[in-house]
Protein backbone atom coordinates (compact mmCIF):
# COMPACT_ATOMS: atom_id res chain seq x y z
CA UNK A 1 0.00 0.00 0.00
CA UNK A 2 1.37 3.39 -0.99
CA UNK A 3 1.09 6.22 1.44
CA UNK A 4 0.35 9.63 0.02
CA UNK A 5 1.93 12.72 1.47
CA UNK A 6 -0.35 15.12 3.32
CA UNK A 7 -1.68 17.97 1.24
CA UNK A 8 -2.64 21.52 2.10
CA UNK A 9 -1.82 22.90 5.55
CA UNK A 10 -1.10 19.43 6.98
CA UNK A 11 1.94 19.21 4.69
CA UNK A 12 3.64 21.67 7.06
CA UNK A 13 3.01 19.66 10.22
CA UNK A 14 6.23 17.57 10.31
CA UNK A 15 8.42 20.65 9.89
CA UNK A 16 6.37 22.62 12.45
CA UNK A 17 6.84 19.88 15.05
CA UNK A 18 10.56 19.64 14.32
CA UNK A 19 11.24 23.38 14.27
CA UNK A 20 9.12 24.45 17.25
CA UNK A 21 9.36 21.33 19.42
CA UNK A 22 5.66 20.81 20.14
CA UNK A 23 3.22 18.34 18.61
CA UNK A 24 0.57 19.76 16.28
CA UNK A 25 -2.12 18.73 18.76
CA UNK A 26 -0.59 21.09 21.31
CA UNK A 27 -0.52 23.97 18.81
CA UNK A 28 -4.18 23.33 18.02
CA UNK A 29 -4.99 23.47 21.74
CA UNK A 30 -3.20 26.84 21.96
CA UNK A 31 -5.22 28.15 19.02
CA UNK A 32 -8.51 26.88 20.40
CA UNK A 33 -7.81 28.27 23.89
CA UNK A 34 -7.18 31.75 22.53
CA UNK A 35 -9.90 34.36 22.96
CA UNK A 36 -9.13 35.46 19.39
CA UNK A 37 -11.31 34.06 16.60
CA UNK A 38 -10.21 35.79 13.39
CA UNK A 39 -7.73 33.93 11.20
CA UNK A 40 -5.12 36.69 10.91
CA UNK A 41 -5.37 37.60 14.60
CA UNK A 42 -4.56 33.99 15.48
CA UNK A 43 -1.71 33.92 12.97
CA UNK A 44 -0.34 37.13 14.48
CA UNK A 45 -0.50 35.66 17.97
CA UNK A 46 1.52 32.60 16.98
CA UNK A 47 4.07 34.83 15.24
CA UNK A 48 4.33 37.33 18.12
CA UNK A 49 4.16 35.02 21.13
CA UNK A 50 5.93 31.95 19.75
CA UNK A 51 8.19 33.44 17.04
CA UNK A 52 6.55 31.19 14.47
CA UNK A 53 7.00 31.89 10.79
CA UNK A 54 4.03 33.17 8.82
CA UNK A 55 3.60 30.05 6.67
CA UNK A 56 3.66 27.69 9.63
CA UNK A 57 1.28 29.85 11.69
CA UNK A 58 -1.08 30.25 8.74
CA UNK A 59 -1.13 26.49 8.10
CA UNK A 60 -1.91 25.66 11.73
CA UNK A 61 -4.67 28.25 12.01
CA UNK A 62 -6.24 27.32 8.66
CA UNK A 63 -6.29 23.61 9.50
CA UNK A 64 -7.61 24.16 13.03
CA UNK A 65 -10.38 26.52 11.97
CA UNK A 66 -11.39 24.18 9.12
CA UNK A 67 -11.57 21.26 11.57
CA UNK A 68 -13.69 23.29 13.95
CA UNK A 69 -16.02 24.43 11.16
CA UNK A 70 -16.43 20.86 9.92
CA UNK A 71 -17.23 19.71 13.44
CA UNK A 72 -19.85 22.41 13.80
CA UNK A 73 -21.58 21.14 10.66
CA UNK A 74 -22.12 17.68 12.13
Amino acid sequence: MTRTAPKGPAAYFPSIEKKYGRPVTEWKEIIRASPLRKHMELVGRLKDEYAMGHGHANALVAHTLAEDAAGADE
Side-chain angles (χ1 to χ4, degrees):
M1 180 176 203
T2 315
R3 221 173 148 188
T4 58
K7 294 183 181 352
Y12 287 94
F13 290 176
S15 60
I16 290 169
E17 289 178 338
K18 183 177 180 183
K19 183 167 185 170
Y20 303 104
R22 294 178 191 229
V24 168
T25 54
E26 192 172 322
W27 289 113
K28 288 180 178 187
E29 289 172 11
I30 289 168
I31 292 166
R32 289 180 174 125
S34 173
L36 305 173
R37 290 292 160 241
K38 292 185 179 178
H39 181 98
M40 289 310 296
E41 290 175 342
L42 290 162
V43 169
R45 179 174 184 233
L46 292 177
K47 290 168 65 173
D48 293 345
E49 292 185 31
Y50 300 97
M52 188 173 281
H54 181 82
H56 287 160
N58 190 58
L60 280 169
V61 171
H63 196 271
T64 304
L65 294 179
E67 268 186 352
D68 292 353
D73 292 341
E74 293 176 0

